[in-house]
Amino acid sequence: MKNFDELFAEISAKAAAHEAGSGTVDALDKGAHFIGKKIIEEAGEVWIASEYQSDAELAEEMSQLMYWTQVMMVKRGLTPDDIYKYL
């Protein structure tokens, strides 16, 4: 299990190393448009899970939304501190 900052560090490390075969690196290479579509997809799945699925399924969908949001952060050069200042 990891927290928000640990996940960001992991994604950032994969991006920096440009790990071959990494789904994260592949998504970053595909660009902001691809990543944005994944964010929209996951946001919809969060909504559906909140209406029709268990709390565990909802939590899983929310974790995927957080992952894709962080992939976009890395793509755009944002850090958690850039986000935290708005919370």
Side-chain angles (χ1 to χ4, degrees), residues 3 8 18 23-24 32 34 39-40 44 48 59 72 74 76 80-81:
N3 64 34
F8 184 80
H18 210 264
T24 299
F34 174 82
I39 291 170
I40 295 297
I48 290 166
M72 184 66 84
V74 169
R76 292 294 306 266
D81 286 338

Side-chain angles (χ1 to χ4, degrees), residues 3-72:
N3 64 34
F4 191 86
D5 291 320
E6 291 167 340
L7 176 61
F8 184 80
E10 181 181 313
I11 292 169
S12 296
K14 286 180 180 183
H18 210 264
E19 291 182 7
S22 166
T24 299
V25 170
D26 182 53
L28 290 165
D29 287 346
K30 288 180 179 176
H33 185 83
F34 174 82
I35 299 164
K37 286 171 57 177
K38 293 300 290 184
I39 291 170
I40 295 297
E41 175 187 334
E42 294 303 336
E45 290 175 3
V46 165
W47 173 40
I48 290 166
S50 70
E51 293 278 343
Y52 304 108
Q53 296 176 323
S54 70
D55 288 348
E57 290 166 315
L58 174 58
E60 182 178 357
E61 294 299 343
M62 288 177 161
S63 74
Q64 292 171 19
L65 179 58
M66 291 175 67
Y67 165 80
W68 283 107
T69 299
Q70 287 199 0
V71 172
M72 184 66 84

